[in-house]
Amino acid sequence: MENSKKAEILAKALPYMQQHKGKTIVVKYGGNAMINQSLKEAVINDLVLMKCIGINLVVVHGGGPEINDLLKRINKESKFINGLRYTDKETMDIVQMVLAGKINKDLTAMIYKKGGKAIGLCGVDGNMLQAKKLEADDDLGFVGEISKVDTDIINSSINAGYIPVISSIALGEDKETVYNINADTAASSIASSLNAEKLILLTDVPGILTDPSDPSTLISQLDLNGISQLTSNGVLTGGMIPKVKCCSDAIKAGVKGAHIIDGRVKHSLLLELFTDEGIGTMIK
Ligand SMILES: Nc1ncnc2c1ncn2[C@@H]1O[C@H](COP(=O)(O)OP(=O)(O)O)[C@@H](O)[C@H]1O
Ligand SMILES: CC(=O)N[C@@H](CCC(=O)OP(=O)(O)O)C(=O)O
């Protein structure tokens, strides 16, 4: 590309930088969007860039596929009910090891490698995510429902210049039981409690599709009415069910926009933040 073209593209970033500076944006980085190393590096690059331009960035990560891999290694089957993992005690230990251990520390290190500053936390740290057992039609074991978010540790980390990188496990009211929280739910509750400008969910599809097998059926914008329609007519299945519910919960709580975008597209975060049209599905 010619230098003048490059300069033009860079100059066009100014209004977007001004728009986002000082705003709180929560990015949920899903396990399905972490599979390829070069893509992972591109995501980390974009996160560090977001922080550099003055966004109060919070990263909440998942790691479902990695949990499945480790369970498989101990010959344990992964069981999901409506997109949520049935979590017995042994599974809970694995979830904690993978999310709060391996993935959380890998992502934190990768941010340092890109020249950023991060602090890896889980919901237990700073008593940030407080939960009780999720009461559902089917018993899901140690799957929790967030009852309170204490944002102190998140705000302190942001004010000290760090990107908080948060894994989705939470502490029970007995201060003993640890619960497995769907990472979309954790991100949504955190975004709501922080009064965030945006919640961005990075996943492995282009956004919400009316036909999940056909990427050309992307819905680019939806409001809360549209969501109830999709939910009742069975278009959403599996992990998309909690994901969309999280977006609508965040919007109801005052988050201005929730975005489901394709983490497999290189620099999808920049396309979302630095173009008028954005990518993926925007819920308002
Ligand atoms: N209507 C839909 N549009 C797009 N994806 C859908 C839809 N219904 C179900 N899905 C599924 O939801 C998945 C995304 O949820 P999930 O696997 O939990 O992702 P992540 O690990 O990123 O949180 C997609 O891979 C897709 O298989
Ligand atoms: C209760 C529940 O389902 N918890 C999830 C937590 C991780 C997660 O949500 O990871 P992704 O974002 O990669 O799907 C799980 O155990 O897989």
Side-chain angles (χ1 to χ4, degrees):
M1 193 194 291
E2 282 171 45
N3 276 344
S4 61
K5 273 253 164 4
K6 274 189 210 161
E8 216 172 285
I9 291 171
L10 289 169
K12 279 194 180 140
L14 176 65
Y16 300 104
M17 285 176 162
Q18 289 167 326
Q19 183 191 333
H20 300 310
K21 189 173 177 213
K23 301 278 164 53
T24 301
I25 298 184
V26 176
V27 173
K28 186 268 177 159
Y29 189 15
N32 280 318
M34 283 177 196
I35 282 159
N36 165 326
Q37 188 62 20
S38 92
L39 221 58
K40 217 162 139 178
E41 281 171 18
V43 171
I44 299 290
N45 180 90
D46 297 352
L47 294 173
V48 174
L49 189 151
M50 286 168 72
K51 183 72 182 170
C52 269
I53 64 162
I55 291 172
N56 295 327
L57 174 65
V58 178
V59 177
V60 178
H61 66 82
E66 290 84 345
I67 299 168
N68 296 346
D69 284 350
L70 194 50
L71 286 171
K72 204 168 161 194
R73 280 203 248 160
I74 61 161
N75 284 321
K76 207 165 168 125
E77 197 198 333
S78 294
K79 194 166 110 191
F80 288 88
I81 301 168
N82 289 328
L84 299 173
R85 182 188 305 278
Y86 172 73
T87 307
D88 61 15
K89 183 70 185 83
E90 188 179 37
T91 304
M92 187 61 235
D93 287 344
I94 300 277
V95 168
Q96 185 170 340
M97 282 182 226
V98 173
L99 294 185
K102 179 86 177 101
I103 298 180
N104 189 269
K105 299 315 153 198
D106 280 355
L107 292 177
T108 303
M110 285 180 83
I111 290 176
Y112 275 96
K113 198 164 180 205
K114 273 283 169 203
K117 272 175 69 170
I119 183 149
L121 300 166
C122 77
V124 178
D125 297 303
N127 201 17
M128 182 206 307
L129 301 179
Q130 298 157 39
K132 55 185 196 267
K133 182 176 160 69
L134 176 74
E135 298 299 342
D137 292 342
D138 302 279
D139 181 27
L140 289 166
F142 289 90
V143 173
E145 178 179 14
I146 296 179
S147 46
K148 193 172 168 224
V149 180
D150 185 335
T151 53
D152 264 11
I153 188 79
I154 305 175
N155 287 323
S156 306
S157 307
I158 293 173
N159 292 337
Y162 294 97
I163 302 170
V165 176
I166 303 167
S167 62
S168 60
I169 62 165
L171 191 59
E173 281 155 9
D174 60 3
K175 302 287 180 273
E176 197 177 317
T177 314
V178 175
Y179 287 104
N180 181 10
I181 312 284
N182 169 270
D184 295 318
T185 311
S188 163
S189 299
I190 289 170
S192 301
S193 302
L194 290 171
N195 256 317
E197 187 77 8
K198 278 180 193 288
L199 167 67
I200 304 178
L201 307 175
L202 283 174
T203 185
D204 66 343
V205 279
I208 302 176
L209 307 168
T210 46
D211 173 1
S213 63
D214 179 359
S216 74
T217 62
L218 174 72
I219 305 173
S220 7
Q221 266 208 46
L222 258 181
D223 58 16
L224 295 179
N225 284 334
I227 288 187
S228 352
Q229 273 170 23
L230 286 183
T231 311
S232 53
N233 66 16
V235 166
L236 309 171
T237 55
M240 199 45 83
I241 300 169
K243 205 178 288 301
V244 169
K245 180 169 186 313
C246 290
C247 292
S248 59
D249 287 349
I251 297 294
K252 284 180 197 157
V255 175
K256 299 219 179 63
H259 305 257
I260 298 176
I261 69 171
D262 198 338
R264 302 164 309 170
V265 171
K266 236 178 184 172
H267 302 301
S268 53
L269 278 168
L270 299 187
L271 292 170
E272 177 50 51
L273 293 170
F274 292 91
T275 60
D276 276 341
E277 56 283 9
I279 61 164
T281 301
M282 172 168 71
I283 299 159
K284 284 200 121 175

